[in-house]
Amino acid sequence: IRGKVLDIALDIRKGSSTYGLYHSIVLSAQNKKQLFLPKGFAHGFIVLTDLAVFSYKVDNFYAPDHDAGIKWNDKELNIQWGLEESDVLVSEKDLQLPFFSEFDSPFNLQ
């Protein structure tokens, strides 16, 4: 809605041909692009401007017991964030997240 973010969608569906791969897109007030993330994808983003207003919809109420995540800078995933790690401010909560290899995805494809 305002500013610019780099938005990341990571496939966490075990058994998927794209498991562990990600898609990135820049969303901005100028390009007015949107990104749909179906169930089975992890979501992360980084703000690229001094200020950003970022809006998203979800299909259910927030459930803290099911809140999970993956380290943003996991070398195995090789996500190209476009910033130096030293320039990134990460919450205390996110610093405690597991690496992708340690993440137990609830999404399994047969």
Side-chain angles (χ1 to χ4, degrees):
I1 298 174
R2 184 171 176 193
K4 181 167 48 171
V5 299
L6 176 65
D7 208 350
I8 304 290
L10 173 68
D11 188 351
I12 58 171
R13 301 169 299 164
K14 290 181 180 176
S16 167
S17 63
T18 56
Y19 177 73
L21 300 180
Y22 74 94
H23 174 77
S24 66
I25 185 171
V26 173
L27 306 176
S28 71
Q30 289 73 34
N31 70 23
K32 301 184 184 343
K33 291 183 179 180
Q34 299 179 19
L35 177 63
F36 174 76
L37 287 102
K39 287 184 181 182
F41 283 77
H43 177 237
F45 65 91
I46 192 163
V47 177
L48 300 174
T49 51
D50 289 338
L51 175 71
V53 176
F54 185 62
S55 180
Y56 56 92
K57 295 181 182 184
V58 295
D59 68 349
N60 216 322
F61 293 101
Y62 175 64
D65 292 344
H66 299 283
D67 191 4
I70 301 161
K71 285 194 182 294
W72 73 277
N73 59 347
D74 189 328
K75 301 295 185 223
E76 178 183 350
L77 298 174
N78 196 32
I79 296 174
Q80 301 300 306
W81 291 99
L83 294 172
E84 296 295 324
E85 284 192 40
S86 59
D87 293 334
V88 178
L89 179 62
V90 181
S91 72
E92 195 63 38
K93 176 185 149 221
D94 287 355
L95 289 172
Q96 306 306 315
L97 294 173
F99 290 102
F100 185 66
S101 62
E102 303 164 331
F103 179 73
D104 186 23
S105 176
F107 299 96
N108 293 296
L109 299 177
Q110 301 302 334

